[in-house]
């Protein structure tokens, strides 16, 4: 099955095993989910508008994070280039929104109401449609802070600009947020009074977004939800983990789901807290090293692998790729559909292959013999690569907040 992009949905059962106290155990529930495509058309050709939109949104998110980092820390992010400015445990089933986003369910407020959110390791804030949100919020579940006894107006606004040129703006509140029975009290979140067009229900099936990166890139300057769970002693381990695949996808909170991977984790230390930024030891093709020591951000909110233009050019020259700037879009390359190369990424000394199914985005046009590669070139104003689902769909990934590292293991 080809890995597409836009707003797909993959579902699986979910379970939670937990115990903040030795006498307690939390049991989660299965959350049914479905899948829909987005990066490709029904005829398996690429959706050019979706590709361009995805790259633009990724670029906007990174720029936002740089701006927030500077505001929160007083200094520029070290990766900025060219002046550019995402006790218990439990699984939460995910939906792959055309592989552009992965979403599941959280609860907010008292009494609690359920919302679906995109779980995004490339940003740090939680927002939902508010009661005054306009037409782009139609079809989404609305968060009404006035109906929650635990809601408090923080007297602050927020504004987030997205790749479609629109913004998400609204008011900041604190309220009780829970995920698979784990409770984050007094959690800062946004109630949007305006949604960017890209968040309309036809394009964005989740109600809102929950960032899972570090506080230093939070527009609210507030603790992200998972870090609040850690500080409240709600999780056994300060780890959350993802399986992002065509089947059986889930987010596991408070540890890892040992049923979903085999062997040991290979860990890469976070080099700069903000994004989940780590060193990629190397990129290999057909057993030969093409690139070494690549600064990388691990981002569940990005489908593609987005690399520096010079690096990506070097890669495709080595594997016989063709520059598709004139046929697809700037920064994209094509390869023969029937002979995608073997490509692996090495983290923590272990090499992990990328399957041809995830690397191959789709045919350039209906019945074409050329297909678009999932590693793209883009100047995003940063010195790092963004490693998204084209790679993450092939591994089990653990985000270790307590030890500030990312671990990869082979899928079971």
């Amino acid at each position: 099955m080809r890995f597409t992009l836009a707003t797909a949905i993959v579902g699986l059962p979910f379970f939670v095993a937990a115990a903040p106290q030795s006498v307690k155990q939390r049991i989660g529930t299965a959350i049914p989910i479905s899948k829909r495509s987005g990066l490709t058309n029904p005829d398996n050709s690429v959706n050019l508008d979706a590709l361009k939109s995805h790259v633009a949104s990724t670029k906007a998110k990174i720029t936002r994070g740089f701006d927030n980092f500077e505001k929160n820390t007083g200094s520029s992010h070290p990766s900025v280039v060219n002046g550019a400015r995402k006790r218990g445990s439990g699984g939460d089933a995910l939906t792959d929104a055309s592989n552009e986003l992965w979403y599941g369910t959280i609860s907010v407020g008292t009494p609690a109401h359920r919302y679906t959110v995109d779980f995004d390791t490339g940003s740090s804030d939680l927002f939902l449609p508010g009661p005054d949100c306009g037409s782009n919020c139609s079809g989404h579940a609305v968060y009404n802070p006035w109906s929650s006894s635990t809601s408090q107006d923080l007297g602050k606004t927020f504004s987030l600009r997205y790749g479609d040129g629109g913004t998400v703006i609204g008011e900041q509140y604190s309220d009780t947020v829970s995920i698979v029975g784990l409770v984050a009290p007094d959690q800062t979140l946004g109630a949007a009074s305006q949604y960017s067009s890209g968040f309309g229900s036809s394009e964005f099936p989740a109600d809102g977004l929950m960032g899972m990166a570090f506080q230093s890139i939070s527009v609210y300057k507030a603790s992200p939800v998972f870090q609040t769970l850690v500080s409240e002693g709600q999780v056994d381990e300060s780890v959350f983990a993802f399986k992002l695949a065509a089947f059986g996808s889930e987010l596991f909170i408070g540890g890892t789901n040992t049923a979903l991977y085999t062997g040991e984790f290979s860990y890469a230390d976070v080099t700069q807290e903000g994004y989940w930024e780590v060193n990629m030891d190397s990129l290999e093709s057909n057993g030969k090293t093409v690139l070494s020591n690549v600064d990388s951000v691990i981002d569940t909110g990005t489908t593609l692998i987005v690399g520096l233009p010079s690096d990506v050019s070097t890669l495709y020259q080595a594997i016989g790729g063709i520059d598709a700037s004139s046929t697809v879009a700037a920064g994209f390359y094509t390869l023969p559909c029937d002979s995608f190369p073997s490509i692996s990424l090495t983290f923590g000394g272990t090499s992990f292959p990328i399957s041809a199914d995830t690397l191959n985005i789709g045919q350039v046009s209906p019945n074409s013999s050329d297909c678009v590669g999932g590693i793209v070139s883009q100047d995003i104003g940063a010195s790092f690569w963004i490693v998204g689902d084209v790679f993450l769909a092939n591994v089990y990934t653990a985000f270790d907040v307590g030890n500030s590292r990312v671990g990869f293991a082979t899928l079971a």
Side-chain angles (χ1 to χ4, degrees):
M1 175 177 286
R2 179 163 294 126
F3 203 71
T4 57
L5 163 92
T7 317
I9 305 161
V10 185
L12 314 211
F14 230 60
F15 56 87
V16 181
Q21 308 292 337
S22 60
V23 297
K24 289 186 179 180
Q25 185 175 21
R26 292 192 177 93
I27 300 176
T29 57
I31 303 173
I33 44 191
S34 56
K35 179 172 181 156
R36 73 182 190 129
S37 62
L39 270 194
T40 56
N41 299 312
D43 59 12
N44 289 327
S45 63
V46 294
N47 183 326
L48 298 183
D49 289 338
L51 284 175
K52 294 173 185 176
S53 175
H54 184 62
V55 171
S57 293
T58 298
K59 194 170 184 177
K61 179 170 68 174
I62 295 300
T63 300
R64 260 199 335 270
F66 283 158
D67 287 344
N68 294 337
F69 185 92
E70 184 167 356
K71 291 174 184 176
N72 295 340
T73 68
S75 59
S76 295
H77 191 285
S79 296
V80 171
V81 295
N82 300 329
R85 295 287 200 256
K86 211 146 75 52
R87 297 225 191 251
S89 62
D92 196 357
L94 300 181
T95 291
D96 166 20
S98 288
N99 308 334
E100 184 177 355
L101 61 87
W102 297 89
Y103 61 91
T105 303
I106 64 172
S107 296
V108 181
T110 307
H113 292 276
R114 290 161 62 88
Y115 304 90
T116 55
V117 292
D118 168 19
F119 294 113
D120 177 22
T121 63
S123 63
S124 299
D125 297 305
L126 168 63
F127 64 81
L128 295 166
D132 300 323
C133 201
S135 59
N136 286 331
C137 290
S138 176
H140 292 308
V142 171
Y143 166 65
N144 188 344
W146 308 318
S147 67
S148 172
S149 63
T150 47
S151 171
Q152 291 190 357
D153 190 336
L154 299 180
K156 301 176 183 178
T157 59
F158 72 93
S159 177
L160 303 169
R161 181 166 294 278
Y162 282 85
D164 62 2
T167 56
V168 174
I169 61 175
E171 188 84 7
Q172 294 182 44
Y173 291 85
S174 67
D175 208 339
T176 299
V177 175
S178 63
I179 176 171
V180 289
L182 310 175
V183 179
D186 302 318
Q187 177 64 48
T188 299
L189 72 155
S193 58
Q194 175 181 305
Y195 256 11
S196 162
S197 61
F199 285 93
S201 58
S202 63
E203 300 294 328
F204 186 86
D207 299 316
L209 184 146
M210 190 179 106
M212 303 188 76
F214 293 92
Q215 182 172 339
S216 58
I217 62 169
S218 165
V219 71
Y220 308 148
K221 299 184 179 181
S223 172
V225 173
F226 184 75
Q227 280 84 334
T228 301
L229 294 176
V230 172
S231 64
E232 291 291 324
Q234 286 285 298
V235 292
D236 289 333
E237 298 180 61
S238 54
V239 175
F240 60 89
F242 283 93
K243 177 183 177 181
L244 305 178
F247 302 99
S249 301
E250 73 165 35
L251 162 63
F252 199 84
I253 297 290
T256 60
N257 183 347
T258 56
L260 297 183
Y261 64 92
T262 62
E264 301 296 322
F265 281 96
S266 293
Y267 288 99
D269 291 334
V270 171
T271 56
Q272 174 65 60
E273 289 190 356
Y275 306 99
W276 286 93
E277 186 173 351
V278 301
N279 183 64
M280 181 200 305
D281 298 339
S282 62
L283 183 153
E284 306 91 33
S285 177
N286 298 321
K288 296 183 179 180
T289 298
V290 179
L291 298 167
S292 300
N293 296 318
V294 179
D295 191 13
S296 305
V297 165
I298 311 303
D299 183 8
T300 61
T302 297
T303 293
L304 304 170
I305 298 175
V306 182
L308 304 181
S310 59
D311 287 349
V312 175
S313 176
T314 297
L315 168 63
Y316 280 105
Q317 286 178 21
I319 62 178
I322 302 299
D323 188 327
S325 298
S326 60
T327 55
V328 180
F332 286 85
Y333 290 78
T334 61
L335 291 158
C337 297
D338 60 359
S339 59
F340 264 60
S342 169
I343 291 180
S344 299
L345 306 186
T346 297
F347 292 97
T350 301
S351 180
F352 297 95
I354 301 175
S355 72
D357 281 348
T358 59
L359 186 61
N360 182 350
I361 298 300
Q363 295 169 321
V364 174
S365 58
N367 301 316
S368 174
S369 61
D370 293 324
C371 287
V372 179
I375 301 176
V376 306
S377 159
Q378 191 71 203
D379 181 0
I380 59 173
S383 60
F384 51 63
W385 282 44
I386 303 171
V387 177
D389 303 340
V390 163
F391 172 72
L392 297 178
N394 299 274
V395 294
Y396 190 78
T397 309
F399 295 83
D400 187 339
V401 172
N403 293 298
S404 195
R405 61 184 184 173
V406 180
F408 302 98
T410 301
L411 288 172

